Amino acid sequence: MLRGLATFAAFRDQGQTVSEQKTTRNHLWRLIRRGRPSVAASSVALLAALASVAGSLWFPIQTKHLIDRFDGGGIELQQVLLVAAALVGGAAAGALSAYMLARIGYQVVAELRAALVDKLLRLPVASFDKESSGERVSRVIRDCEAISELITKQTVNLVTGVLLLAGSIVVLLLLDVPLTLTLLGSVVAAFAVMIPIAFLLDGLSRRTQDRVARISGILTHIFQEIRLVKAFTAEAQERRRSVAEIEDLKRLGLKTARVNVALEPVMSLAMTIAIIIILVYGAARVAAGEISVGTLTAFILYIFNVVNPLAQLTNFTAELQKAKGASVRIAAIFDEAEEEKKTSAQPAPHSPGGVLEFRDVSFAYAGRDTTVLNGIDLLFEPGTTTALVGASGSGKTTILSLIERFYEPSSGQILYDGRPIADYPLQQWRGGIGYVAQSAPVMPGSVRDNIAYGLSGEFTDDQVRSAAERAGALDFIERMPQGLDTVLIEQGNNLSGGQRQRIAIARMFLRDPDLLILDEATSNLDSETEHQVRLALEALMRGRTNIIVAHRLSTVIHAQRICFLEAGRISGIGNHGELLASHPYYARLVQRQFQQPVEAEPMEAG
Ligand SMILES: Nc1ncnc2c1ncn2[C@@H]1O[C@H](COP(=O)(O)OP(=O)(O)OP(=O)(O)O)[C@@H](O)[C@H]1O
């Protein structure tokens, strides 16, 4: 309640213009509507809320009648039953409305989350460069939760609170005007006393939330990189860092507890004083014969009808602020441009065996001044292998990303079969490409799921097994506890680097793409595994158009074409022999590597 009071007061100072506040409100309303709340359930919830308010308004009046009848011959059973009916009926209606609103809230949040996940999956890779994945997860989980909380818990408070407050004031004014003004004056004064403390609590609560978010970020990082922590014996350092954060959180908690402890007596004192004022003034009016004992009793009961809605309304403003903040962040995601606009006229999918051409392609990542690729002209002929070689950061992986259409060139064109690749339907375009990323990532699921990953058809065990065999992966898969059904844990931690690579290669055999793009792993495998992976890759590359970011001399030597990149420009192109003769930098690299065992030596310059 107190946080609500403070937020209510602070809201005016947030510097939002009227039109900004309207836009924020629209965002929230748009999101709630997107969740398609059921009209029937909403109507039942509203009617039940009205019934519960009626019960709360009715019961003190019935109690007044019950007490006032004492003078005229004691308690009447009918009157007792009416009080009980008002109480029980009001409570039952309140419970029904709360349940219906909870249903609506959960339905809205489920629809919203599903829509958000769907939207996030449609966003381009560039969108994920802007914000950490943790923050994106927080949009789906926490921000949606804030909107659901508003609907499930706070809407009922708003509806019943406003009605109860307004209804109570009207009934009280009808019963006795001076006593009503005294009641309102003392309750408002009691609230006013609490506002400064509420401000303090609000600030503390925000700082606590920030701290909690910070500490969860730090801990997530530590546990994600536990190998790094252990390899560098940094446990003590990380413990110190975490303990410092935990201590800060403790200090904030204690401060909050101190304010709360001070607040409780102030709060009950303020409310007690308000009640005493009403009692004393009311008793004087009873003694003077101006009001009945029943009326005074009704007034005392109505105090709760005034205080509770006031508390609920202030709470509502706090939750509303939270939900509005959340809705702005969620709406920003919904407003982002999707990777591919759905068009009614879908062009034909590309046919295999075309020439892929980079024509004067330049590229800069969004938000970065430097151009990563500068005027790249490159031809990838069908059935050939092109190796991209160059120092670290020279733009090799970026070329692969442009082919995958993770990003669009800043200028120039990428053509396939003479047509811009952007013209082909995105799903079919990517469907024709096999991409083996450097780290050979795996997804949660079984080995079988991972080999058939992203393929829509059903695959027989024989097909999956055959792909695994061609990738040189079948032996180790069969040695795993449940074979193809073995579940791969987070980031494939139960696999070695070479095994992950062979799973990725098996995936490609099953996918059977026309164009294979491969970011060669930089980590050195032992020579036996290296040999197996190379054999599997050679088999995979046969008969396809291959584009490889090459780190190993063995790969480079076998490529028909080598493209040497320096700071985003092509400084040499040709086969191994040609480059050796024409490109001093390349020749120097090769010379350096031939002094080492050729196969294990990475090719990279930087
Ligand atoms: N998502 C991104 N956002 C912004 N800049 C990026 C992004 N990815 C790469 N870069 C920058 O673009 C440049 C080229 O990166 P790229 O990954 O293409 O190089 P690379 O030649 O593949 O390097 P390596 O061999 O080390 O993998 C680097 O300076 C890098 O910092």
Side-chain angles (χ1 to χ4, degrees):
M1 171 186 90
L2 287 159
R3 215 171 83 69
L5 270 178
T7 319
F8 189 68
F11 182 48
R12 292 193 318 269
D13 306 329
Q14 284 176 355
Q16 273 190 321
T17 63
V18 174
S19 76
E20 276 169 351
Q21 285 178 18
K22 220 166 139 185
T23 319
T24 319
R25 245 197 325 267
N26 286 346
H27 282 321
L28 183 59
W29 183 231
R30 225 176 73 197
L31 291 182
I32 292 177
R33 277 218 321 254
R34 187 185 266 272
R36 290 198 288 266
S38 140
V39 178
S42 310
S43 312
V44 173
L46 186 67
L47 288 176
L50 290 177
S52 121
V53 169
S56 304
L57 284 175
W58 197 38
F59 130 79
I61 293 289
Q62 291 308 320
T63 313
K64 168 186 152 47
H65 291 328
L66 187 72
I67 291 173
D68 284 346
R69 292 281 161 85
F70 274 140
D71 294 343
I75 296 173
E76 274 179 33
L77 179 65
Q78 190 195 0
Q79 205 57 48
V80 175
L81 288 178
L82 278 174
V83 172
L87 269 176
V88 174
L96 178 64
S97 101
Y99 175 69
M100 292 314 284
L101 280 164
R103 267 182 67 149
I104 298 168
Y106 286 123
Q107 181 220 327
V108 167
V109 82
E111 293 266 352
L112 199 57
R113 279 188 178 138
L116 198 53
V117 169
D118 183 52
K119 175 76 191 187
L120 283 168
L121 286 171
R122 287 174 193 277
L123 291 182
V125 171
S127 161
F128 292 84
D129 292 343
K130 289 187 299 200
E131 204 179 28
S132 77
S133 43
E135 283 170 69
R136 294 262 142 135
V137 171
S138 149
R139 294 295 87 86
V140 179
I141 305 298
R142 287 200 197 185
D143 285 348
C144 286
E145 190 74 39
I147 293 176
S148 147
E149 282 271 304
L150 185 77
I151 302 168
T152 51
K153 303 218 176 87
Q154 301 303 327
T155 324
V156 72
N157 288 348
L158 178 72
V159 176
T160 54
V162 169
L163 292 176
L164 200 57
L165 194 59
S168 300
I169 292 173
V170 170
V171 174
L172 287 173
L173 284 171
L174 289 175
L175 282 176
D176 190 69
V177 176
L179 202 52
T180 306
L181 296 179
T182 315
L183 184 148
L184 290 178
S186 34
V187 168
V188 169
F191 267 78
V193 169
M194 293 175 228
I195 284 183
I197 307 177
F199 265 114
L200 199 61
L201 265 185
D202 188 51
L204 283 172
S205 142
R206 278 168 207 268
R207 276 168 62 196
T208 309
Q209 276 175 6
D210 289 348
R211 282 278 159 182
V212 169
R214 210 178 116 111
I215 195 168
S216 9
I218 291 175
L219 291 180
T220 309
H221 235 98
I222 295 175
F223 298 134
Q224 242 168 20
E225 300 305 336
I226 194 72
R227 286 173 170 73
L228 180 77
V229 174
K230 290 196 178 288
F232 286 83
T233 54
E235 289 97 332
Q237 184 185 332
E238 294 302 352
R239 192 178 308 117
R240 270 198 305 279
R241 191 148 65 124
S242 311
V243 167
E245 292 292 331
I246 291 168
E247 280 295 315
D248 271 354
L249 204 57
K250 182 183 89 181
R251 269 194 290 277
L252 268 177
L254 285 177
K255 224 176 190 169
T256 311
R258 279 198 293 273
V259 177
N260 267 325
V261 163
L263 182 74
E264 299 272 319
V266 172
M267 211 162 89
S268 58
L269 190 68
M271 290 316 298
T272 312
I273 291 174
I275 292 173
I276 289 173
I277 290 173
I278 296 161
L279 271 178
V280 170
Y281 180 57
R285 305 277 312 278
V286 172
E290 289 167 5
I291 57 169
S292 67
V293 177
T295 304
L296 180 59
T297 314
F299 262 85
I300 300 295
L301 291 174
Y302 270 115
I303 290 182
F304 299 102
N305 278 0
V306 173
V307 171
N308 287 343
L310 270 180
Q312 283 169 351
L313 287 181
T314 52
N315 237 346
F316 178 80
T317 58
E319 292 297 321
L320 184 66
Q321 291 313 309
K322 226 161 83 182
K324 274 183 178 171
S327 71
V328 170
R329 291 189 291 268
I330 295 175
I333 293 181
F334 279 121
D335 286 344
E336 276 190 51
E338 289 182 10
E339 210 168 19
E340 186 182 47
K341 296 275 162 300
K342 286 190 192 84
T343 52
S344 46
Q346 287 275 302
H350 66 286
S351 46
V355 175
L356 180 69
E357 181 184 358
F358 272 55
R359 201 178 279 174
D360 196 21
V361 170
S362 295
F363 177 75
Y365 284 99
R368 295 266 183 112
D369 298 335
T370 42
T371 315
V372 175
L373 295 176
N374 274 303
I376 301 288
D377 285 308
L378 250 180
L379 268 187
F380 301 98
E381 306 273 1
T384 62
T385 295
T386 306
L388 303 174
V389 177
S392 175
S394 56
K396 304 179 293 289
T397 306
T398 305
I399 289 187
L400 302 190
S401 299
L402 291 184
I403 297 172
E404 272 281 8
R405 288 169 61 188
F406 291 156
Y407 304 93
E408 283 176 14
S410 313
S411 66
Q413 277 191 314
I414 306 175
L415 307 161
Y416 184 83
D417 245 355
R419 255 173 86 181
I421 57 170
D423 282 0
Y424 295 103
L426 186 63
Q427 296 282 315
Q428 276 109 332
W429 173 252
R430 288 194 185 141
I433 301 176
Y435 185 21
V436 184
Q438 204 177 71
S439 56
V442 298
M443 293 301 277
S446 66
V447 174
R448 180 191 288 99
D449 295 341
N450 263 281
I451 293 179
Y453 188 69
L455 294 170
S456 46
E458 284 284 313
F459 293 93
T460 61
D461 264 11
D462 281 347
Q463 284 171 297
V464 176
R465 218 172 272 280
S466 145
E469 189 170 18
R470 292 166 78 188
L474 194 59
D475 282 353
F476 78 80
I477 292 174
E478 281 182 338
R479 280 198 305 272
M480 291 171 95
Q482 277 93 35
L484 280 174
D485 292 316
T486 309
V487 172
L488 300 179
I489 56 167
E490 196 189 16
Q491 294 165 351
N493 279 346
N494 47 352
L495 291 179
S496 73
Q499 287 171 336
R500 272 209 309 274
Q501 284 178 26
R502 278 175 281 169
I503 297 265
I505 295 169
R507 192 182 288 154
M508 288 308 133
F509 272 117
L510 202 60
R511 194 179 179 101
D512 195 21
D514 170 47
L515 182 63
L516 185 70
I517 59 182
L518 218 140
D519 210 342
E520 211 173 53
T522 40
S523 57
N524 283 331
L525 303 172
D526 66 81
S527 56
E528 178 52 30
T529 316
E530 168 86 35
H531 179 68
Q532 284 175 355
V533 170
R534 209 180 59 238
L535 285 182
L537 273 178
E538 278 169 10
L540 178 68
M541 286 159 60
R542 217 163 288 138
R544 301 178 206 273
T545 310
N546 305 297
I547 305 168
I548 304 172
V549 167
H551 299 285
R552 287 181 174 70
L553 200 55
S554 52
T555 315
V556 180
I557 288 173
H558 290 116
Q560 276 102 341
R561 225 150 171 243
I562 301 156
C563 166
F564 201 99
L565 279 167
E566 279 181 81
R569 288 180 197 279
I570 298 177
S571 62
I573 202 157
N575 63 26
H576 177 65
E578 287 163 353
L579 271 192
L580 212 50
S582 66
H583 199 289
Y585 192 6
Y586 180 80
R588 242 192 350 263
L589 272 179
V590 172
Q591 194 187 21
R592 204 192 303 161
Q593 292 199 15
F594 269 122
Q595 289 162 4
Q596 312 280 331
V598 172
E599 284 166 14
E601 173 70 8
M603 183 64 204
E604 201 178 298

